[in-house]
Amino acid sequence: MLAILHPNTALDSEAYRQTMHYLENLPGVSVRVHEVQGASQRLTELYLLGDTKSLDKDEIEALPAVERAIRISDDYRILGRHRDDRRQSGFSYNGVDFNQSNLNVFAGLCAVDVPEHVEIMMQALEQHGQQCTRMGAYKPRTNPYSFQGHGKGCLPWVFEKAGKHGIKVIAMEITHESHIEEIDTCLEQLGRPTGVMLQVGTRNTQNFELLKAIGRQSTYPVLLKRGFGITLNESLNAAEYLASEGNANVIFCLRGMKTEAGQPHRNMVDFAHVPAVKRLTRMPVCVDPSHSVGSREHSPDGILDVIHATAQGVIAGANMVLVDFHPKPEKALVDGPQALLMDELPAYLEDIQLCHETWQKRQAIYQRLKGKTAE
């Protein structure tokens, strides 16, 4: 069972103390507290775990701090919808909102290489009003002899340049628990000029000890990529690992499924799952067209496959796009052949906005239909 407290309930208030005293003394029931910071208010959710079938929902809702109670299913206990559309979806971080209605673009370098390229990328994003980017410092590679990323050595100048150009959130993959401390220490030493979204790559979707470590910290939100060879349900349960440890500020990323059936693309594009993930969970949904398609091939209409794939995800309601750009792809140390070019950025952003507006118009059509049906 889930007990949702009245908005902005203070944890040192008498109402909260009375509520917790009652719940903590229920036999066979443990209480887990989760705080959700929205754009305008803070919500506290209390998860009652254990023998909850005999609990009286009305009695829980009568507690002084409780606004309402919800019986939840076993699947995605924290991140799931549980047939309750009033629960908040998404979160705010470093002045940027992430939810199931809006859209943020994270264009940037798959792997950080030299300061010049980072500067060019961030300057272009600033000129086009963007506040987010992707920058890979730690790079897990299939080949042990391939470039593994500059690691903590590049963090100071990446973060400084982000602050200089007004970049508020950097999506950055980590592969080990120690990377969290390296990022946090560097940001603190620099006066926190920017923010970081910790990215869990497809290889680590079932690295449960890493997921637990990331979940135990609440400073940084998380971008979890779908595992490339597992079911959607298994990947969503990986997200639940993060939330069960305390961090429910999670975005789920679709990045294509590893299968020969996806050829000629690098992976089988799975963006039809955008609305499915939004229906099953309260997580904002990201699409990664670069790693889905993996090339700069284009159709006779002159539009790159990666751009077509982006449109498919955004028109289906995606809330975030993670995409590779590079000033000089031929010199990129990772995935240069799939990177978009800097002179393609304006058109790409315009196309994404058009697709997002199209999704909003599509949504309005069916909301009107639903209204007529209800009359």
Side-chain angles (χ1 to χ4, degrees), residues 75-76 205-206 224-240 252-257 270-281 283 285-286:
D75 290 336
Y76 328 130
T205 301
Q206 289 192 304
L224 177 78
K225 284 197 170 184
R226 178 180 186 168
F228 56 57
I230 59 178
T231 66
L232 179 63
N233 178 62
E234 289 168 329
S235 292
L236 293 178
N237 273 315
E240 190 73 9
F252 189 79
C253 181
L254 297 166
R255 46 82 65 204
M257 295 295 295
D270 55 353
F271 296 170
H273 276 155
V274 169
V277 176
K278 292 172 74 172
R279 180 179 71 252
L280 293 169
T281 78
M283 289 186 287
V285 181
C286 173

Side-chain angles (χ1 to χ4, degrees), residues 19-70:
T19 298
M20 289 299 291
H21 177 75
Y22 178 88
L23 296 176
E24 289 174 342
N25 284 281
L26 290 171
V29 174
S30 62
V31 183
R32 185 168 291 177
V33 181
H34 283 265
E35 292 191 72
V36 183
Q37 182 60 57
S40 59
Q41 62 184 9
R42 178 179 55 79
L43 294 177
T44 302
E45 298 181 341
L46 306 180
Y47 289 84
L48 311 182
L49 307 177
D51 184 15
T52 62
K53 292 182 179 179
S54 62
L55 294 183
D56 189 311
K57 181 172 176 283
D58 292 336
E59 286 186 9
I60 301 300
E61 290 182 335
L63 295 172
V66 176
E67 180 183 65
R68 70 186 194 280
I70 303 168

Side-chain angles (χ1 to χ4, degrees), residues 156-169:
W157 46 269
V158 169
F159 294 160
E160 286 176 343
K161 290 180 183 299
K164 172 185 174 183
H165 292 291
I167 301 299
K168 293 185 176 182
V169 186

Side-chain angles (χ1 to χ4, degrees), residues 149-225:
H150 290 307
K152 68 178 182 180
C154 72
L155 298 182
W157 46 269
V158 169
F159 294 160
E160 286 176 343
K161 290 180 183 299
K164 172 185 174 183
H165 292 291
I167 301 299
K168 293 185 176 182
V169 186
I170 301 173
M172 182 171 286
E173 182 173 0
I174 65 169
T175 60
H176 192 272
E177 181 179 354
S178 62
H179 298 159
I180 304 173
E181 184 177 354
E182 290 176 0
I183 289 170
D184 191 63
T185 299
C186 185
L187 284 173
E188 187 64 28
Q189 290 174 344
L190 297 174
R192 300 197 177 271
T194 188
V196 170
M197 178 179 291
L198 302 177
Q199 179 179 317
V200 178
T202 187
R203 294 174 178 83
N204 280 314
T205 301
Q206 289 192 304
N207 182 342
F208 300 120
E209 295 308 311
L210 178 61
L211 296 177
K212 290 176 184 178
I214 295 173
R216 284 192 292 268
Q217 62 79 41
S218 58
T219 303
Y220 306 105
V222 189
L223 176 66
L224 177 78
K225 284 197 170 184

Side-chain angles (χ1 to χ4, degrees), residues 107-371:
L109 307 184
C110 183
V112 171
D113 42 30
V114 297
E116 176 191 3
H117 293 158
V118 174
E119 175 75 21
I120 293 171
M121 187 73 240
M122 292 190 179
Q123 185 177 43
L125 292 172
E126 181 184 30
Q127 290 172 349
H128 290 90
Q130 300 300 301
Q131 297 180 314
C132 304
T133 189
R134 68 171 302 172
M135 290 284 158
Y138 310 93
K139 298 301 298 181
R141 307 300 301 281
T142 302
N143 188 329
Y145 306 110
S146 299
F147 176 64
Q148 306 288 315
H150 290 307
K152 68 178 182 180
C154 72
L155 298 182
W157 46 269
V158 169
F159 294 160
E160 286 176 343
K161 290 180 183 299
K164 172 185 174 183
H165 292 291
I167 301 299
K168 293 185 176 182
V169 186
I170 301 173
M172 182 171 286
E173 182 173 0
I174 65 169
T175 60
H176 192 272
E177 181 179 354
S178 62
H179 298 159
I180 304 173
E181 184 177 354
E182 290 176 0
I183 289 170
D184 191 63
T185 299
C186 185
L187 284 173
E188 187 64 28
Q189 290 174 344
L190 297 174
R192 300 197 177 271
T194 188
V196 170
M197 178 179 291
L198 302 177
Q199 179 179 317
V200 178
T202 187
R203 294 174 178 83
N204 280 314
T205 301
Q206 289 192 304
N207 182 342
F208 300 120
E209 295 308 311
L210 178 61
L211 296 177
K212 290 176 184 178
I214 295 173
R216 284 192 292 268
Q217 62 79 41
S218 58
T219 303
Y220 306 105
V222 189
L223 176 66
L224 177 78
K225 284 197 170 184
R226 178 180 186 168
F228 56 57
I230 59 178
T231 66
L232 179 63
N233 178 62
E234 289 168 329
S235 292
L236 293 178
N237 273 315
E240 190 73 9
Y241 260 93
L242 295 162
S244 69
E245 291 292 332
N247 190 346
N249 290 346
V250 183
I251 296 174
F252 189 79
C253 181
L254 297 166
R255 46 82 65 204
M257 295 295 295
K258 192 175 184 67
T259 167
E260 294 299 317
Q263 292 184 357
H265 294 157
R266 182 173 177 178
N267 292 292
M268 174 71 79
V269 181
D270 55 353
F271 296 170
H273 276 155
V274 169
V277 176
K278 292 172 74 172
R279 180 179 71 252
L280 293 169
T281 78
R282 298 177 296 125
M283 289 186 287
V285 181
C286 173
V287 293
D288 178 350
S290 298
H291 289 83
S292 297
V293 173
S295 73
R296 287 184 51 80
E297 297 296 331
H298 61 79
S299 61
D301 61 14
I303 302 175
L304 296 174
D305 286 6
V306 69
I307 296 177
H308 273 305
T310 303
Q312 291 165 19
V314 176
I315 283 182
N319 312 113
M320 175 175 163
V321 177
L322 188 73
V323 60
D324 292 357
F325 272 79
H326 201 285
K328 296 180 179 179
E330 69 278 5
K331 294 186 177 181
L333 299 177
V334 178
D335 287 339
Q338 70 187 28
L340 295 176
L341 310 178
M342 300 311 300
D343 61 4
E344 293 171 331
L345 180 62
Y348 186 72
L349 293 174
E350 182 181 356
D351 193 356
I352 286 178
Q353 184 58 37
L354 174 65
C355 292
H356 185 58
E357 291 171 356
T358 299
W359 170 73
Q360 291 173 321
K361 291 178 180 178
R362 293 177 60 226
Q363 189 179 34
I365 290 172
Y366 293 99
Q367 285 176 340
R368 290 198 301 269
L369 179 62
K370 184 178 179 181

